[in-house]
Amino acid sequence: MIKKFQSLLSIALVCLVFSGCDPGSTEVQPIAVSPKDMLKANLQSPADTGMLGSEMVVIEENIEKLAVEDAAKADALRKDLEELKKANNATKIKSKAKEMIGKL
């Protein structure tokens, strides 16, 4: 009786394991976030803290992505980004980052 129960339990477990691995399951599509939204999010940290960090690389990448949609806006943001990089105190950094967010 115990052997029969163990066999049934084993078969049930195998069925459960393989039923979750259906190759025909639907794929989850990634959420598309616009470059403008990404730029706003990345600029928010310098706008709040007055400090520049690794987000600068991502900001540059997103400006390049924005150029596909709106070249004029991307050019203006590139110029602002250069000024942001040169800013030498927290007040200037905050001001320039907020200005850039306002252009988006």
Side-chain angles (χ1 to χ4, degrees), residues 3 6 9 17 23 26 29 32 36 38 41 48 51 53 57 59 62 64 70 73 84 91-92 96 98-99:
K3 288 279 189 191
Q6 287 177 339
L9 184 58
V17 168
T26 56
Q29 296 296 323
K36 286 181 183 180
M38 289 299 298
D48 291 340
M51 296 175 57
V57 174
I59 291 171
N62 284 313
E64 294 309 313
D70 191 341
K73 190 173 285 189
L84 181 63
T91 304
K92 289 180 182 178
K96 182 51 78 172
K98 288 176 184 176
E99 179 185 330

Side-chain angles (χ1 to χ4, degrees), residues 54-73:
S54 60
E55 68 272 355
M56 297 303 290
V57 174
V58 179
I59 291 171
E60 287 181 276
E61 291 171 358
N62 284 313
I63 289 174
E64 294 309 313
K65 290 177 185 176
L66 178 64
V68 174
E69 297 174 9
D70 191 341
K73 190 173 285 189

Side-chain angles (χ1 to χ4, degrees), residues 20-60:
C21 300
D22 181 18
S25 61
T26 56
E27 292 184 28
V28 176
Q29 296 296 323
I31 298 172
V33 180
S34 74
K36 286 181 183 180
D37 291 337
M38 289 299 298
L39 281 165
K40 286 178 184 178
N42 295 134
L43 287 165
Q44 195 60 53
S45 177
D48 291 340
T49 66
M51 296 175 57
L52 299 175
S54 60
E55 68 272 355
M56 297 303 290
V57 174
V58 179
I59 291 171
E60 287 181 276

